[in-house]
Amino acid sequence: MGKRRGERELLRGLSKKQKKHLREFGEEHPFYDKVLLLLMLHLCFPFQTENSDKSSAESDSETEVEQVSVYHKLLATLKTSPESESEEEEDESESEEAGESEMEMDSEGSQEAGETDGGEEDKDDVPEQKEGSTATDTVEQTLGQEETDGADTSYDQRHGVIEEFTDVKHESEFSLETNFMEEESGDCNADKRDSNSSQAFPEDPFKQHMDKELEEKEVEKMSTLPKTSSQSKWPRLGQLAFSSTLEKQKTLKAYKEVDVKQLYLHKPLESTWPKVNKQFLSSVNKPSDPYFTPLQRELFCIMNTYRDLFYPERNALTNGEEIRHVYCLHALNHVLKANAQVLSNNAKRRNQKLGTDSDDYRDQGLTRPKVLMIVPFRECALRIVHVFISLLEVNEKRKIDVSNKKRFKGEFGSDPEEKPPNLKRPEDYEAVFAGNIDDHFRIGVAILQKNMRLYAPFYSSDIIIASPLGMRTVIGAEGEKKRDFDFLSSIEILIVDQADIYLMQNWEHVLHLMKHMNLLPLDSHGVDFSRVRMLNLNNWSKYYRQTLLFSALQEPQINSVFNKHCFNYVGQVAVRNVPLTSSISHVVVQLPHVFRRLEAENLTSVIDTRFQFFINKILPEYRDAIMSHTLIYVPSYFDYVRLRNYFKKEDLNFTHICEYTKKAGICRARRFFLKGEKQFLLFTERFHFYKRYTIKGIRNLIFYELPTYSHFYSEICNMMKATDNGVDATWTCTVLYSKYDAQKLAAVVGIDRTAQMLQSKKNVHLFVTGEN
């Protein structure tokens, strides 16, 4: 304690500006005398500023300080925007208070954790012993082990506040600015081979894409001229649409045979990928192809060229995990190459003479995060991290150190006791809603070749995994005080998986995220501008960003995001296959389907036109008491509210169920509808998506609009067979559609019937039965 008092007394003798200079540069201003004494004090007890958790560059990980590092820190001060005298004094006083309070804490001083950067540390005070696991273990087994030196946080039971320890060890370990290639990896020879890989393979897609320097004419051309498109057919993906604004690219052909050198994988991934992907190769691939399934091979062929990709045939039952593994490989390959380039340049600059500088070391963005992965549920994030760990573990002897695994398993894993009772649900429902289905989360991941840090602050992360809602709460809205989206400024790969599920959550969150991608940051966040690529300084990041979009269906809103928010200079690739099977063929009950066409002048007027068509022509036919037990399927919640208000105004005998209806209200509405006490039942698509309840008593069915998921059409129709006396009843099914529903209509009735129905300008009554 006497030593600390002496240190505090020594610090109190300095002015505010002297303390600020000491914290920033590790030495007192040359005008004063106590330079060596204070420099030694700073090396032993480094100060932490308020924003130390936002930039790994600010952590003091080296025990020896070189003159060149001070020079680069001086250069970094040029990035700050000039402020008024009063604001500077206010910031100095705040940082002074923060510095003094940290000196009074223990050597592991703690500070309050914040959620805006997604960077809290582990909650457990006592680290547990390591436990081994193989790359083929389950997610729980892999994440169940806890490292002995993991970062911990404490929980204050008196105040109920989670406090975060200053994790200096991990900050320095994962800081690209203060690490060097030979320090990051133990095998110096391997490091040299990795650093020289770009020379051995000059056509590495990563180098080609990131080193390409666009001209202003090309950027202007991409922002003004329309895209030119071409068609191609691949063996597994089918019909592909290639589009680009710049000069016509060379025809891209699928890999027939995979050569590991042709893939340009980072060194560890060459050996780990065949092991991790083995589960998909056993029954599908030939023994001579140890790398990819046919689908993965063609997808990776496109990903590896850094083109944008839209694949609308993702299926949770069949190919969902295949796709997840291949985009995890691509993302991890990109991050490892980018980090290896930075570490290699760090070593080169370290060996340079003082005062020499080169423009060849521009290898970073304005912020560190390079990959953003948007997934709907925590279970998806859990599986992604599991794939990352498996890909980084070369063998059982060479384990990867993962910090905060225990906390991650607790927050993203599922509790078997919380599972609902065994209810009969479709297989696709069980596949989509497996595990932890919480949709509000975000987590930063920092990656080096042998280490992975979970819950890293966003500005110290390489990969961010989040849900649209998790991103929305961080980005905030205009006018909010606490909002942050600077970490999205230099995203180089954006992966949006299971995009169709966001239509059932809140699509506005996705649009809000896309509007804030690759904008110039409002703060510098400790970046060294001498290392920033010119494409980032020119605000051209969006033209280099690769977007990978995976969905289970073709949908206009998803197509709009791909067409309007993707600006990759290399071009875009979209899979455009016509549906081979129609949903109506899976209807097992004998039922006449009447498709009634409504005419709308344009896309914006369809909503009002459909409502007027329904209340004027459809509803009068069902007002008679004979037409009881009528279920009205409404995909849009806004249309549901509009119909509910109209039914209340007209005093119709109806009940309603939506995704916000409580359990008691659901039971009451189902009972009233089954017994015939209520003639109409308004039923939303989102409720069916999340619950999949079987509604009994349906005799008349009205699809106010075609379902978003085509298989919902057959599921709703097949509910009629659940009625006990359904054999004696006369069943009807009426569907409203317009020419703007061509994609949904083709998925329900098939492409041939859709063409016939759209050619006719009059209202078409098409009578078909399920067995056709």
Side-chain angles (χ1 to χ4, degrees):
M1 293 298 293
K3 184 178 180 181
R4 291 188 179 179
R5 287 196 191 96
E7 294 163 356
R8 287 199 295 271
E9 291 176 0
L10 183 60
L11 291 173
R12 290 193 184 98
L14 302 178
S15 66
K16 295 179 180 179
K17 292 186 177 181
Q18 294 171 25
K19 291 179 181 179
K20 182 179 179 182
H21 187 90
L22 176 63
R23 281 191 296 272
E24 291 181 349
F25 304 106
E27 62 181 8
E28 193 178 1
H29 195 277
F31 179 80
Y32 303 97
D33 294 329
K34 296 172 288 185
V35 177
L36 296 177
L37 179 61
L38 291 178
L39 182 58
M40 293 177 61
L41 176 64
H42 177 72
L43 291 175
C44 298
F45 301 92
F47 292 87
Q48 300 288 337
T49 63
E50 257 187 350
N51 296 325
S52 63
D53 62 331
K54 291 186 179 179
S55 176
S56 58
E58 297 177 9
S59 60
D60 300 318
S61 60
E62 302 293 331
T63 55
E64 57 179 359
V65 178
E66 301 183 12
Q67 296 295 329
V68 66
S69 63
V70 178
Y71 169 74
H72 288 302
K73 289 181 179 180
L74 285 171
L75 287 179
T77 59
L78 298 176
K79 68 189 179 301
T80 56
S81 58
E83 296 179 354
S84 63
E85 296 266 337
S86 59
E87 290 177 348
E88 288 182 358
E89 291 179 0
E90 189 174 342
D91 293 340
E92 289 172 3
S93 62
E94 291 177 359
S95 59
E96 178 185 359
E97 293 176 0
E100 290 180 357
S101 62
E102 288 185 6
M103 287 298 297
E104 293 174 0
M105 294 180 183
D106 295 334
S107 59
E108 298 177 286
S110 60
Q111 62 184 24
E112 186 173 344
E115 280 203 355
T116 54
D117 60 354
E120 305 103 336
E121 297 299 328
D122 198 40
K123 294 181 181 178
D124 301 303
D125 290 333
V126 183
E128 297 182 2
Q129 189 176 358
K130 275 188 179 179
E131 297 177 3
S133 65
T134 63
T136 56
D137 288 343
T138 61
V139 177
E140 289 78 8
Q141 290 173 336
T142 304
L143 297 174
Q145 56 184 359
E146 181 67 16
E147 66 286 341
T148 56
D149 56 353
D152 300 327
T153 58
S154 61
Y155 181 78
D156 189 349
Q157 296 181 355
R158 294 174 297 177
H159 301 90
V161 177
I162 299 176
E163 295 184 345
E164 178 184 18
F165 284 139
T166 303
D167 189 5
V168 179
K169 178 182 182 299
H170 282 136
E171 284 291 348
S172 61
E173 182 180 357
F174 288 92
S175 172
L176 295 180
E177 290 80 1
T178 57
N179 274 293
F180 304 95
M181 177 66 79
E182 58 268 26
E183 294 177 0
E184 186 268 329
S185 180
D187 185 3
C188 296
N189 295 327
D191 295 330
K192 293 179 181 178
R193 289 194 301 267
D194 291 341
S195 62
N196 294 330
S197 61
S198 61
Q199 299 177 2
F201 305 105
E203 296 184 358
D204 185 351
F206 169 80
K207 297 287 292 180
Q208 277 188 334
H209 183 69
M210 301 307 298
D211 292 348
K212 166 75 174 179
E213 294 186 5
L214 293 175
E215 299 179 358
E216 293 186 6
K217 294 181 179 179
E218 293 176 320
V219 174
E220 184 179 356
K221 186 177 180 181
M222 285 188 289
S223 58
T224 56
L225 297 181
K227 299 176 182 178
T228 58
S229 60
S230 61
Q231 303 290 329
S232 179
K233 190 172 184 178
W234 285 19
R236 178 61 180 83
L237 292 179
Q239 197 70 27
L240 301 182
F242 293 83
S243 60
S244 176
T245 307
L246 300 180
E247 289 78 8
K248 190 175 181 180
Q249 304 290 332
K250 296 180 180 179
T251 304
L252 183 63
K253 296 182 180 180
Y255 296 144
K256 293 183 179 180
E257 296 181 359
V258 175
D259 182 6
V260 66
K261 296 182 179 180
Q262 185 182 5
L263 300 177
Y264 299 97
L265 295 178
H266 196 68
K267 197 66 177 178
L269 302 180
E270 294 180 3
S271 58
T272 57
W273 171 248
K275 300 176 184 178
V276 175
N277 202 47
K278 186 178 180 180
Q279 54 181 315
F280 305 110
L281 301 173
S282 57
S283 60
V284 179
N285 264 30
K286 299 178 182 179
S288 59
D289 189 358
Y291 293 100
F292 298 98
T293 64
L295 174 62
Q296 289 177 332
R297 182 169 60 249
E298 296 185 9
L299 287 176
F300 191 79
C301 176
I302 299 173
M303 293 179 188
N304 210 28
T305 60
Y306 283 88
R307 287 175 169 87
D308 294 336
L309 172 64
F310 175 36
Y311 182 72
E313 298 179 8
R314 186 195 190 280
N315 190 302
L317 281 173
T318 56
N319 58 17
E321 288 302 314
E322 284 184 66
I323 294 173
R324 178 178 286 120
H325 276 66
V326 74
Y327 72 63
C328 284
L329 171 67
H330 177 61
L332 192 59
N333 188 41
H334 178 85
V335 169
L336 290 176
K337 286 181 179 180
N339 287 352
Q341 185 182 33
V342 174
L343 296 175
S344 177
N345 288 339
N346 286 349
K348 294 177 182 178
R349 295 188 66 176
R350 183 190 185 190
N351 297 329
Q352 276 188 342
K353 294 181 180 180
L354 182 64
T356 60
D357 196 7
S358 175
D359 202 42
D360 298 334
Y361 299 134
R362 294 192 177 273
D363 49 17
Q364 303 175 17
L366 291 168
T367 53
R368 179 171 171 177
K370 308 170 188 66
V371 178
L372 175 62
M373 309 178 81
I374 302 298
V375 290
F377 305 118
R378 286 180 181 262
E379 174 69 16
C380 305
L382 184 76
R383 297 186 183 187
I384 287 173
V385 172
H386 169 62
V387 175
F388 285 161
I389 295 175
S390 302
L391 287 173
L392 291 173
E393 288 184 342
V394 178
N395 49 51
E396 294 184 3
K397 296 181 180 179
R398 185 178 175 182
K399 291 294 181 182
I400 176 177
D401 293 330
V402 183
S403 62
N404 302 325
K405 284 187 293 186
K406 186 175 181 181
R407 177 190 174 188
F408 180 73
K409 178 187 175 184
E411 293 185 1
F412 285 78
S414 58
D415 188 357
E417 298 180 358
E418 295 180 357
K419 290 185 178 180
N422 294 327
L423 299 175
K424 188 176 181 181
R425 294 288 185 270
E427 291 182 353
D428 66 293
Y429 178 89
E430 297 292 344
V432 170
F433 293 98
N436 190 335
I437 59 172
D438 178 52
D439 63 349
H440 187 192
F441 63 92
R442 54 188 176 270
I443 182 172
V445 182
I447 293 178
L448 293 182
Q449 190 164 320
K450 292 182 179 180
N451 306 295
M452 177 187 294
R453 181 187 180 192
L454 303 175
Y455 295 96
F458 277 3
Y459 292 96
S460 300
S461 302
D462 297 301
I463 300 175
I464 297 174
I465 309 173
S467 65
L469 179 59
M471 282 286 96
R472 180 65 176 81
T473 52
V474 174
I475 295 174
E478 188 175 354
E480 295 181 4
K481 293 183 178 180
K482 293 185 178 180
R483 57 180 313 212
D484 187 12
F485 50 86
D486 286 357
F487 55 87
L488 301 174
S489 62
S490 300
I491 294 295
E492 297 164 358
I493 297 180
L494 170 63
I495 300 174
V496 182
D497 195 12
Q498 296 176 271
D500 52 287
I501 296 182
Y502 311 138
L503 297 171
M504 301 292 111
Q505 294 177 347
N506 193 331
W507 188 250
E508 292 297 325
H509 296 337
V510 178
L511 298 179
H512 192 73
L513 169 65
M514 298 304 296
K515 292 177 182 177
H516 290 81
M517 291 293 301
N518 298 113
L519 301 179
L520 284 177
L522 303 178
D523 194 6
S524 58
H525 303 284
V527 66
D528 182 358
F529 283 93
S530 65
R531 301 287 294 273
V532 178
R533 298 187 182 95
M534 293 306 299
L535 67 95
N536 299 101
L537 297 177
N538 292 331
N539 195 22
W540 292 347
S541 301
K542 65 179 182 180
Y543 299 113
Y544 288 79
R545 186 191 76 229
Q546 181 187 30
T547 303
L548 305 178
L549 191 58
F550 302 98
S551 171
L553 48 88
Q554 295 267 9
E555 216 282 337
Q557 296 183 75
I558 302 176
N559 291 332
S560 177
V561 167
F562 188 72
N563 295 329
K564 295 182 179 180
H565 295 277
C566 297
F567 310 95
N568 195 338
Y569 78 87
V570 186
Q572 289 80 29
V573 182
V575 179
R576 303 294 187 190
N577 293 322
V578 296
L580 299 178
T581 60
S582 56
S583 176
I584 200 172
S585 62
H586 297 103
V587 178
V588 297
V589 296
Q590 297 294 324
L591 179 67
H593 307 262
V594 181
F595 291 83
R596 304 189 63 171
R597 175 169 175 166
L598 55 96
E599 295 294 340
E601 296 181 358
N602 50 58
L603 186 59
T604 57
S605 63
V606 170
I607 297 176
D608 293 331
T609 304
R610 182 181 289 109
F611 178 74
Q612 295 298 328
F613 185 84
F614 175 79
I615 63 176
N616 294 331
K617 297 185 177 181
I618 304 298
L619 191 58
E621 300 176 4
Y622 290 85
R623 282 179 177 268
D624 197 321
I626 300 177
M627 306 297 290
S628 61
H629 299 271
T630 300
L631 184 141
I632 304 174
Y633 182 91
V634 188
S636 171
Y637 179 77
F638 301 103
D639 290 335
Y640 161 80
V641 173
R642 191 175 188 179
L643 289 175
R644 184 190 63 189
N645 295 340
Y646 177 80
F647 276 40
K648 288 182 178 179
K649 180 181 178 181
E650 295 294 322
D651 198 20
L652 296 177
N653 185 22
F654 81 103
T655 185
H656 51 88
I657 299 177
C658 71
E659 57 271 27
Y660 302 111
T661 307
K662 295 181 179 180
K663 190 173 182 179
I666 296 172
C667 296
R668 184 166 56 250
R670 294 175 68 186
R671 183 175 66 253
F672 288 162
F673 183 72
L674 176 62
K675 294 182 178 180
E677 298 179 14
K678 300 293 182 180
Q679 182 179 357
F680 297 99
L681 171 61
L682 293 179
F683 187 81
T684 65
E685 183 175 67
R686 285 186 179 178
F687 175 81
H688 182 67
F689 175 79
Y690 283 107
K691 299 298 182 182
R692 301 291 181 92
Y693 287 175
T694 299
I695 306 299
K696 296 182 179 180
I698 304 174
R699 296 180 184 175
N700 304 290
L701 183 58
I702 299 176
F703 284 93
Y704 186 79
E705 185 182 356
L706 284 164
T708 303
Y709 291 90
S710 60
H711 63 277
F712 283 2
Y713 184 87
S714 57
E715 286 184 10
I716 298 297
C717 291
N718 290 334
M719 287 182 184
M720 291 184 170
K721 68 179 182 179
T723 307
D724 296 333
N725 58 350
V727 178
D728 299 330
T730 302
W731 291 332
T732 66
C733 178
T734 303
V735 184
L736 277 63
Y737 76 98
S738 69
K739 64 180 180 180
Y740 301 105
D741 298 323
Q743 289 181 340
K744 296 180 180 179
L745 190 61
V748 172
V749 302
I751 189 66
D752 295 333
R753 282 177 176 157
T754 300
Q756 297 174 4
M757 295 167 65
L758 294 180
Q759 286 177 358
S760 176
K761 296 182 179 180
K762 298 180 181 179
N763 292 339
V764 178
H765 295 248
L766 179 63
F767 295 88
V768 295
T769 56
E771 62 182 3
N772 293 336

